[in-house]
Amino acid sequence: MTDATDNGPVLAADGSPLKRSLGRALRRQKLRALALVAPLLIFVLITFIFPIASMLFRSVQNDIASNTLPYTLQALAKWDAESSDLPAEEVYQAMYFDMFLAAEAKRHTRLGTRLNYEQTGISSLFRQSGRKLDDLGKDIERVLGKLNSDWKDGRTWYNLLNAGQGTADTELLNVQRNRVVALTDRSVSGNLNFSPSAEMAELLPATTKAYTVWVVYTATQSDKDPATKSPWEAIPVALALDLQTTDLSGYSGTAADLLIQAQAANLPLPTFTKAFAEIDEDWATAIPWKTIQTHSGIYTSGYFLNAVDAQKTPQGIAWQPEDKQILLTLFVRTLIMSLVITGSCILLGYPIAWLLANLPMRQANVLLILVLLPFWTSLLVRTSAWKVMLQQQGVINDVLVWIGFVADDGRLIMINNQFGTIVAMTHILLPFMILPMYSVMQTIPPSYLRAAKSLGATNWTAFWRVYFPQSVPGIGAGSILVFILAIGYYITPEIVGGTKGVFISNRIAYHISSSLNWGLAAALGTILLAAVLVLYWAYDRIVGIDNVKLG
């Protein structure tokens, strides 16, 4: 059949070609269906897909070092971590100005916490250093104030470094704006009433850069007028640094006499290497610098390495110390115990599902209510009940002692171990195994068994050769459901598992809520998700996902 006749194409009632009319109708139907699904799709994307993707991205995200210490990392890139020498003086100098800004923005402790995941003690090192950095600038401030009181006036600094009607270094201003944005995660839009002088950026580069970033931060984050405020202690330090090398003989602009006077005074500027060593002796070792350099990339594999009990070092990948290797053990324990719980649910749930499918309707409904009854009770209450029942002075041990099965001084330890976790989780997840099997068994005609028996099969043969194969899809559906739920449980193992019965999910919860190491938590979650997908793929290859049914 074609869309044409002897006289031309087949036409619709409105006179247009039938093929085109059908195409428009199909497009309208698809758009209508999409409009109906769109609200749910958008809701799922916003509340489920995007948050999960954002969280998983944290497993490789590592821009905190480059955002906090941009100039330090540039200088540190030239340092060979394999050598026995400490970084050059320029690295310590860059660290001073980077950390000063980070300390003022209260962001240096975040970087310290991040690096502390890799090297214990760095968090306290950063916190202590941030409190003492301004001491170096106060000495220079006092000397400048004695030379001329104008240095105490914020307008002196503003007039000196502001371009005014002259040429402005807009590139420097944009760089410092972006630096503050990256550090604070806040907007720096708005008029600063300041543009760094291109002349001063060439004559006093460190001072102009330090003052510009102070202006951006003060005007946008503190909401103050930088023209009337005295700058941070780091700006006099930068001035002293510039005056050591700059040539002022050809300068006759704003505050030229002040600059010449300050240069002649030979401002007291100790080496930055010595200053950091006086703050904390750890800065005089290579350990913190190696840690900073190793974990300075925007993206990192460090979280995934930590998730498998390894670590990233300047020499490459290495195993964690033996006393810290716990996560691989937890992964294996989680998979094995989840399989055991799944098997327990199959053994206990299959007979119950068979009874539900074969009992008369009235009795089956009563039994189904008993199966669903746990859903009407809080998960926390059910888990706490098992904690009471399984403890050494609990109900089960009391009954065993009463019937003489165990001695009173030999009560069984059934809590705070793997046994307690398996028992409690089997009880909690059992309905999720029973219901899929029951829905499949309901579809198996009883006449099949009668026919098998009429042909001479025993009860066992009829069940094993006829009934059981038809119930396997229900077992598969229940197993997938129970296993996926079990592998991610953390409340029940936390309450009844102790130290030997907890899962990897408990570690994920710990890093999210307690240690706040979200990167490692995301890496652990990503590996767990990948493991589930691999097992799901293996199940599909061996059994076939098409054979899984819910009735």
Side-chain angles (χ1 to χ4, degrees):
M1 183 179 223
T2 65
D3 61 347
T5 66
D6 293 338
N7 298 322
V10 177
L11 302 179
D14 60 356
S16 61
L18 181 60
K19 186 175 181 179
R20 188 188 308 163
S21 180
L22 288 174
R24 284 200 301 266
L26 287 174
R27 282 195 297 274
R28 283 196 296 269
Q29 287 181 355
K30 291 178 180 180
L31 291 174
R32 192 180 300 115
L34 180 61
L36 293 173
V37 176
L40 177 60
L41 180 61
I42 294 172
F43 176 79
V44 171
L45 287 174
I46 294 175
T47 63
F48 184 74
I49 303 298
F50 289 159
I52 289 180
S54 175
M55 186 63 191
L56 295 181
F57 179 67
R58 291 176 179 269
S59 62
V60 295
Q61 186 180 21
N62 191 54
D63 57 357
I64 185 171
S66 58
N67 291 340
T68 308
L69 307 175
Y71 296 111
T72 303
L73 297 183
Q74 290 178 14
L76 194 60
K78 306 173 185 177
W79 177 60
D80 182 9
E82 299 291 335
S83 68
S84 57
D85 299 329
L86 289 174
E89 171 71 7
E90 64 173 325
V91 176
Y92 286 89
Q93 175 185 319
M95 173 62 101
Y96 172 80
F97 291 106
D98 281 342
M99 186 174 283
F100 198 103
L101 173 61
E104 291 294 333
K106 303 295 188 295
R107 291 294 191 271
H108 65 302
T109 53
R110 291 199 312 175
L111 177 58
T113 300
R114 163 67 187 98
L115 296 177
N116 201 70
Y117 299 146
E118 312 297 339
Q119 180 66 48
T120 304
I122 290 190
S123 178
S124 59
L125 176 64
F126 271 64
R127 191 180 304 109
Q128 180 182 359
S129 301
R131 289 196 296 262
K132 295 182 178 181
L133 284 178
D134 55 354
D135 293 343
L136 181 62
K138 288 179 179 178
D139 294 337
I140 299 176
E141 270 189 334
R142 282 192 290 268
V143 174
L144 285 174
K146 290 179 181 179
L147 288 175
N148 196 310
S149 60
D150 287 348
W151 287 114
K152 298 180 181 180
D153 189 352
R155 296 184 185 85
T156 300
W157 294 94
Y158 183 84
N159 294 333
L160 172 65
L161 300 169
N162 186 29
Q165 300 300 319
T167 305
D169 190 339
T170 56
E171 182 180 355
L172 174 62
L173 180 61
N174 291 332
V175 168
Q176 300 311 314
R177 279 182 181 271
N178 295 333
R179 182 182 174 192
V180 174
V181 169
L183 180 66
T184 62
D185 295 324
R186 295 170 60 184
S187 172
V188 293
S189 59
N191 186 13
L192 304 177
N193 292 322
F194 172 85
S195 295
S197 168
E199 181 184 13
M200 299 311 307
E202 183 177 352
L203 189 67
L204 305 172
T207 308
T208 308
K209 181 170 68 175
Y211 187 81
T212 301
V213 75
W214 172 77
V215 168
V216 173
Y217 184 86
T218 301
T220 60
Q221 309 302 310
S222 301
D223 198 22
K224 296 178 181 178
D225 182 8
T228 60
K229 297 293 179 181
S230 296
W232 290 332
E233 293 84 353
I235 281 80
V237 173
L239 178 63
L241 191 67
D242 284 331
L243 291 178
Q244 287 182 340
T245 57
T246 191
D247 182 11
L248 295 175
S249 59
Y251 178 69
S252 59
T254 305
D257 54 337
L258 294 178
L259 291 175
I260 294 172
Q261 183 186 28
Q263 188 176 47
N266 195 16
L267 298 176
L269 181 67
T271 61
F272 290 93
T273 304
K274 180 180 177 182
F276 271 90
E278 290 175 351
I279 292 174
D280 195 297
E281 59 184 11
D282 285 347
W283 287 116
T285 66
I287 294 176
W289 300 108
K290 287 182 178 181
T291 304
I292 293 171
Q293 187 184 64
T294 303
H295 302 280
S296 61
I298 298 177
Y299 302 105
T300 180
S301 60
Y303 291 124
F304 280 100
L305 291 174
N306 291 343
V308 294
D309 293 330
Q311 59 183 336
K312 188 178 180 182
T313 67
Q315 293 76 31
I317 298 173
W319 290 108
Q320 293 275 11
E322 203 168 312
D323 58 335
K324 293 184 178 180
Q325 295 183 14
I326 183 62
L327 297 178
L328 279 180
T329 302
L330 287 178
F331 271 117
V332 174
R333 179 192 298 170
T334 299
L335 293 174
I336 292 176
M337 289 182 64
S338 296
L339 289 172
V340 172
I341 291 166
T342 303
S344 301
C345 288
I346 292 173
L347 293 176
L348 295 175
Y350 196 94
I352 299 174
W354 186 87
L355 286 173
L356 283 170
N358 291 278
L359 282 176
M361 182 63 67
R362 187 166 185 171
Q363 290 147 329
N365 287 339
V366 173
L367 185 58
L368 184 60
I369 291 173
L370 296 177
V371 170
L372 296 175
L373 192 60
F375 287 128
W376 304 338
T377 309
S378 168
L379 172 63
L380 194 59
V381 171
R382 283 179 280 162
T383 305
S384 300
W386 275 112
K387 189 174 182 68
V388 173
M389 294 176 65
L390 293 174
Q391 61 186 344
Q392 284 187 289
Q393 302 300 323
V395 176
I396 296 178
N397 264 305
D398 286 343
V399 171
L400 293 176
V401 170
W402 178 67
I403 64 177
F405 189 79
V406 297
D408 189 43
D409 58 349
R411 290 171 175 258
L412 302 178
I413 301 177
M414 298 181 289
I415 198 70
N416 296 330
N417 52 28
Q418 295 184 15
F419 178 81
T421 299
I422 291 172
V423 170
M425 288 187 62
T426 298
H427 166 251
I428 291 169
L429 297 176
L430 191 57
F432 295 99
M433 180 66 73
I434 293 174
L435 294 176
M437 289 195 295
Y438 165 59
S439 64
V440 171
M441 289 179 181
Q442 265 192 324
T443 64
I444 303 175
S447 58
Y448 287 4
L449 287 176
R450 291 197 296 267
K453 292 177 184 178
S454 68
L455 294 173
T458 63
N459 288 334
W460 170 253
T461 302
F463 166 77
W464 186 248
R465 300 288 298 275
V466 177
Y467 192 88
F468 181 77
Q470 296 182 81
S471 65
V472 166
I475 297 175
S479 298
I480 291 176
L481 186 59
V482 169
F483 180 80
I484 291 177
L485 289 173
I487 207 172
Y489 253 58
Y490 73 94
I491 294 178
T492 302
E494 184 71 24
I495 294 176
V496 301
T499 57
K500 297 182 179 180
V502 294
F503 286 4
I504 193 65
S505 51
N506 297 96
R507 204 66 185 170
I508 295 174
Y510 166 76
H511 286 303
I512 287 178
S513 60
S514 298
S515 74
L516 302 181
N517 190 351
W518 287 14
L520 180 54
L524 292 171
T526 303
I527 293 174
L528 191 61
L529 176 61
V532 171
L533 293 176
V534 169
L535 290 172
Y536 184 84
W537 172 83
Y539 182 90
D540 182 39
R541 298 284 294 182
I542 297 171
V543 178
I545 203 65
D546 293 336
N547 294 326
V548 174
K549 296 180 182 178
L550 293 174

